[in-house]
Each structure stands twice: as C-alpha cells, then as structure tokens.
Amino acid sequence: MFLDDFTIKKIQEGLTRKKFSALELTKAYLEKIKKEDKKIRAFLTISEDLAYSQAKKIDEMIFTGRKLPPLAGVPCAIKDNILVEGIRCTAGSKILENYIAPYDATVVKKLKEAGAIILGKTNLDEFAMGSSTENSAFFPTKNPLDLKRVPGGSSGGSAAAVAANLSVFALGSDTGGSVRQPAAFCGVVGLKPTYGAVSRYGLIAFASSLDQVGPIAKTVEDCEIVFEVIKGKDDLDSTSINPEFESQNFNLQIQNLTLGIPKEYFIEGMDKEVEKIVKEAIRKYEKMGAKIEEISLPHTQYALACYYIIAPSEASANLARYDGIKYGFSEAKNPKSKAKNLLQVYLQTRAKGFGSEVQRRIMLGTYALSAGYYEAYYLRAMKVRRLIKEDFEKAWEKVDFIVTPTAPTPAFKLGEKITDPLAMYLSDIFTVPASLAGLPAISLPCGRIDNLPVGLQIIGKPFQEKKIIALAKLYESGKN
Ligand code: GLN
C-alpha cells in the first residue's frame, strides 16, 4: 500500500472497491508511524486500540453493505489540546502529563460519527503558545522536509504528521495562526474557520475570544470535507453558531472577483523570496481573470502588539484552573514536597508544571488585567482590535478576498528563535490580524525556496469558508 498518494476520496474508493480493508489501512499507518515518527516526533500519544476498534466497525459497515459516512476509514491525528475520551491529553504541558480526557470534544465526536479513525495525538507548543512546537514540554517536532528545521506551531505535530503522510488529515487549533503557519512551513493546507463556525467544546482553552479548531490536510478538498463534518452550532459552546453558509453548489466566477493585496503585508524585513513567490501566485489569479487591487489595512502594524496583550490576558484567566487540585500534576501528591500550605501547593505546582513561555504569558496577562493597568493595556488593546476589524470591513466594500503571505519567512532552524520571544512572535505577523477580526483564512502551498515551502493566505468575509476554499482550489488545480 502506498500511503503517500492517499486523499480522503482515494481512501473511500479503495475501501468501497475492497482494494483494502479499514483494518489493513489503519495497520499500515500505525506501522509507518512506528517506523518514521522516530525522526519527526509528530506524535505524543498513539491511540492504537481506539484506531483498531474504529476500523473494525467500518469494515463491518462495508461487509454489511451499509452507506458509509463521509470520513469512513480515514486515518487522522488530533492536536493534543483537543479531548478524545479515554486518551491522554497533555496540551504539551507537564501539568497535564498524565491527564486522561473524560469525554470527547464535539469536533472529535463529529469525526467519530463520520467514521474517521483516530491514530493518535500530536505534539504542540505548551497550551498552544508558540510558533515552532519547541515550547512543547516533551520534545520538539521536526519539519519532515528538513529535519534541522521547525514545523511551525503551535499545531506543528499535526502539520508534520500530514506532511510526512503519517496521517491523511489532522485537526489543529488556531488562536493567532497555529493552523495556518505550520501548514505553510510543512507545505500542506490549513484552514482557520470563522470565529464561531466550529465548536470549541473539549478544546483546552488558550484565548477564548480567538481560539478556533481547523483542519490540516494535503489538499484543499480534504480540508473542505473535514470542515463540513466539524462545523456548526453546538449547544455546549455558546459562541458557536449556524450561519447561512454558502450553498453547496455555487459557482465561483473568477472574472467577477477582486482580490485585495494589502500593502502593509509586503514590508521591509520580510524574506524577499517569499515575497516573490507570493506575488507570482497573485499574478496567476490575475491571469485567470481576477481583478487585483492594492488595498490598505492601516492598523496592521498594531496587530501583533494587540494580540500579545489580549491572548496572554485571556490565557492568564483560562490557565488559573491548573492549581494542582482539580487536574493533573500536583505538588500536593509529592511526598518530598516542601509546600507547607495550600498557597504553596498552588505556587509550586504552577512553578514546576508550567514551562517558561506559559509563565511569561501568565505574568504578562495578569499584569495587563490588573487594577490600574487594565485601561492602559487590555482596554486599549480591545479598542485597537476594533480598529483592525474595521479595516477589514472597509476593505470588503472594495474586494471579495484578501490575499497575503502566510508567514514572513519559510521554516526556520530549530533553536534559531527559541531564546528570543519577540523574534518568535514576529512569525505570526500575517496571521494574527484575521484572528483578531474573527475572519476565516486558509493557507495553501504556493511554491518553494530550495526545498522549503511557502504558504499563500486567503482571507475571506465571515462564514465564507466555501468561497475561500473554492478560490484555493482554483489555484491548486491551476498548478498542475
Ligand atoms: N504563535 C501564536 C502564539 O504563540 C499563535 C498560537 C496559536 O494560534 N495557538 O500565540
């Protein structure tokens, strides 16, 4: 079985034509992981028993001639901040090292109902805070295209697993770019849905006004199929809604479309090769008949500063629950602990359980929210967030999509930015604005510098993921 060519449709075809069984397919993937993940380290946990029991069910369905659900028999991987019942869920943190998820996240429940086979849980930056997966408390994941480089982050394990064909698709989470940037670094496709399009029930919260779950896959079509399965309102997440999604069969007329190119995204300091490749991609759309228009999103320059106030503020509140009493690692359970009272249990649990990036953000966040500073930092950042949102709203009066690079550079070397948080934060510069505005965005491969992939980001209006997907497909099909 040659796994590297598999897409969702090819797998379904193989299963229905009985070229292979779901069990055989699952076995082939698990064996490949055992063999090849030693060097990449995309996975934190392999859920072999779960995968085999799911595969058996699919084979029974095929045997009895039942109609197959949309992801029947398709092997997938889940970022380790999304709960899968009975399976360890670490969020990449020591504090949850031995935490077993008590229930399925809604997205996982939906994947299971759709017949997907869960192979395991993928590595991430601790609590999804980072852009390289080096902040994982366990080990860094490597970029399958160049093992000396990072896969991006924080969903680096998910993107690497897909790029290395250790999984057909994966789920990631995107707060400020964590689906799109690793997809770009690993040469695969990643979709961040509109805020509210997908339920976050069972996603370990990082920054609740920004977090979204999104698919990572090798093709735009596979991302689309997975998105169709996981989207929609969930009573267990009050921020999720059932919007008027585009009808299934609309036709995208490229000649009638205007693509906006924000001048603030082509800046001094970005990699010249990245700029060239992205501009070539834009020209391709122009040749297809799209109108290209330069636009301005004037508050872009404040997006990163704004994000790095809001996200840590929300994180500091969300992470208050890890106190050594309710979940996971606890100094109270350590017989050698020097903690003498409850406060010391809290403090020592958190000092030992959280890594330095998480601690840095908790400190930044609590500072920005503290009395006396709240107005100057948090409130101000929220006001800037509104201006960034309005920039996009104004742009939509003139253009249908906004097209940009996904990241200012291709994958950087392991260790290159880990001691310089600001340099690391800069890799989110092009993904953070759409997150702050709650907009849907996709990253798709548009070229390579030597062997390193470059990602093209397409940002759309709220709940127009269908249209973004259609535009991305045009590029993808034009490429071959
Ligand atoms: N790299 C960004 C951060 O560190 C985004 C992370 C994410 O989207 N989860 O916050």
Side-chain angles (χ1 to χ4, degrees):
M1 224 181 288
F2 189 60
L3 307 186
D4 296 10
D5 281 342
F6 277 150
T7 58
I8 295 175
K9 284 212 170 135
K10 278 188 187 153
I11 285 180
Q12 300 225 302
E13 194 190 284
L15 286 172
T16 43
R17 296 212 182 140
K18 304 210 167 55
K19 285 190 199 151
F20 45 79
S21 69
L23 208 56
E24 282 165 350
L25 185 73
T26 303
K27 194 158 173 256
Y29 273 95
L30 288 169
E31 273 170 8
K32 191 170 159 85
I33 292 171
K34 264 185 210 143
K35 226 170 60 209
E36 292 174 22
D37 198 41
K38 283 193 202 98
K39 54 180 203 287
I40 298 165
R41 310 213 75 183
F43 285 88
L44 280 167
T45 305
I46 306 295
S47 47
E48 199 170 296
D49 293 345
L50 172 65
Y52 282 135
S53 76
Q54 288 178 303
K56 276 184 200 144
K57 276 190 211 144
I58 299 298
D59 282 337
E60 258 167 48
M61 287 178 89
I62 296 169
F63 186 72
T64 50
R66 299 232 301 277
K67 188 174 177 302
L68 294 180
L71 296 173
V74 180
C76 70
I78 310 287
K79 186 177 183 180
D80 206 25
N81 60 353
I82 301 173
L83 307 190
V84 180
E85 190 184 336
I87 307 289
R88 185 171 82 121
C89 190
T90 68
S93 181
K94 283 267 179 238
I95 216 159
L96 290 176
E97 187 168 7
N98 300 309
Y99 176 69
I100 306 294
Y103 58 87
D104 278 333
T106 297
V107 285
V108 169
K109 191 167 158 262
K110 287 184 169 187
L111 288 185
K112 284 182 175 174
E113 282 163 7
I117 311 283
I118 297 172
L119 300 172
K121 306 294 299 291
T122 52
N123 199 15
L124 67 158
D125 288 297
E126 186 174 1
F127 286 102
M129 298 175 190
S131 309
S132 69
T133 318
E134 291 167 294
N135 290 338
S136 163
F138 304 105
F139 44 78
T141 297
K142 294 174 184 152
N143 192 316
L145 298 161
D146 179 347
L147 297 175
K148 291 197 189 69
R149 291 181 187 263
V150 302
S154 61
S155 314
S158 287
V162 173
N165 293 299
L166 303 179
S167 177
V168 177
F169 73 89
L171 291 187
S173 68
D174 190 312
T175 304
S178 278
V179 160
R180 290 161 283 162
Q181 184 257 23
F185 279 15
C186 292
V188 292
V189 185
L191 171 71
K192 182 202 89 77
T194 315
Y195 185 75
V198 176
S199 164
R200 289 100 45 85
Y201 180 70
L203 165 71
I204 293 179
F206 163 12
S208 305
S209 75
L210 296 153
D211 297 340
Q212 266 295 289
V213 174
I216 296 177
K218 273 186 299 183
T219 65
V220 178
E221 183 181 58
D222 280 1
C223 270
E224 177 181 26
I225 298 171
V226 178
F227 173 66
E228 287 299 315
V229 167
I230 62 174
K231 76 178 190 189
K233 179 168 171 50
D234 174 14
D235 288 340
L236 297 168
D237 175 359
S238 57
T239 62
S240 68
I241 65 165
N242 254 344
E244 298 281 311
F245 282 108
E246 292 292 330
S247 73
Q248 294 289 12
N249 301 315
F250 72 94
N251 208 347
L252 198 72
Q253 297 284 345
I254 185 95
Q255 302 80 357
N256 303 334
L257 295 177
T258 308
L259 312 189
I261 314 301
K263 62 171 193 261
E264 292 81 3
Y265 282 62
F266 294 87
I267 43 167
E268 224 19 67
M270 80 179 283
D271 189 300
K272 287 287 161 233
E273 287 288 309
V274 170
E275 179 171 348
K276 201 173 127 222
I277 288 171
V278 168
K279 286 196 167 152
E280 272 163 23
I282 293 167
R283 252 195 303 282
K284 233 177 218 173
Y285 276 124
E286 193 171 21
K287 277 198 198 125
M288 289 179 205
K291 209 173 134 219
I292 308 294
E293 194 168 319
E294 189 184 84
I295 57 167
S296 173
L297 300 169
H299 296 92
T300 303
Q301 58 172 312
Y302 305 114
L304 213 53
C306 173
Y307 172 86
Y308 278 99
I309 296 285
I310 293 172
S313 296
E314 294 183 13
S316 71
N318 274 326
L319 270 56
R321 71 190 72 171
Y322 306 102
D323 56 5
I325 305 298
K326 301 190 223 36
Y327 307 93
F329 170 76
S330 174
E331 264 299 280
K333 293 184 200 146
N334 173 5
K336 291 194 194 123
S337 173
K338 297 204 176 73
K340 291 197 190 69
N341 54 38
L342 184 62
L343 183 63
Q344 286 183 5
V345 168
Y346 291 158
L347 295 175
Q348 290 180 21
T349 297
R350 291 166 68 83
K352 286 189 185 168
F354 290 139
S356 55
E357 181 61 25
V358 172
Q359 294 192 17
R360 180 181 300 123
R361 298 212 191 183
I362 292 173
M363 286 191 278
L364 282 172
T366 44
Y367 185 80
L369 290 176
S370 57
Y373 293 106
Y374 179 90
E375 280 81 7
Y377 293 109
Y378 183 74
L379 206 63
R380 193 117 183 239
M382 289 302 278
K383 287 179 181 166
V384 175
R385 182 180 192 172
R386 148 105 9 220
L387 295 174
I388 290 168
K389 202 162 171 240
E390 284 171 1
D391 281 354
F392 281 105
E393 280 158 11
K394 278 191 204 116
W396 299 136
E397 290 167 11
K398 288 201 285 191
V399 301
D400 303 288
F401 299 94
I402 294 172
V403 182
T404 79
T406 306
T409 65
F412 43 89
K413 291 211 174 82
L414 285 147
E416 191 178 321
K417 299 194 176 176
I418 197 69
T419 52
D420 185 352
L422 273 183
M424 189 71 90
Y425 297 170
L426 272 170
S427 53
D428 309 328
I429 193 160
F430 299 145
T431 46
V432 151
S435 297
L436 288 168
L439 299 171
I442 197 167
S443 175
L444 68 151
C446 68
R448 288 196 177 197
I449 304 172
D450 298 325
N451 192 35
L452 299 176
V454 173
L456 181 72
Q457 176 175 236
I458 304 174
I459 306 171
K461 296 177 197 171
F463 301 105
Q464 293 203 340
E465 14 289 270
K466 270 270 169 199
K467 282 198 175 153
I468 305 181
I469 285 167
L471 188 68
K473 276 185 187 165
L474 276 182
Y475 183 84
E476 200 181 48
S477 57
K479 223 170 32 176
N480 304 319

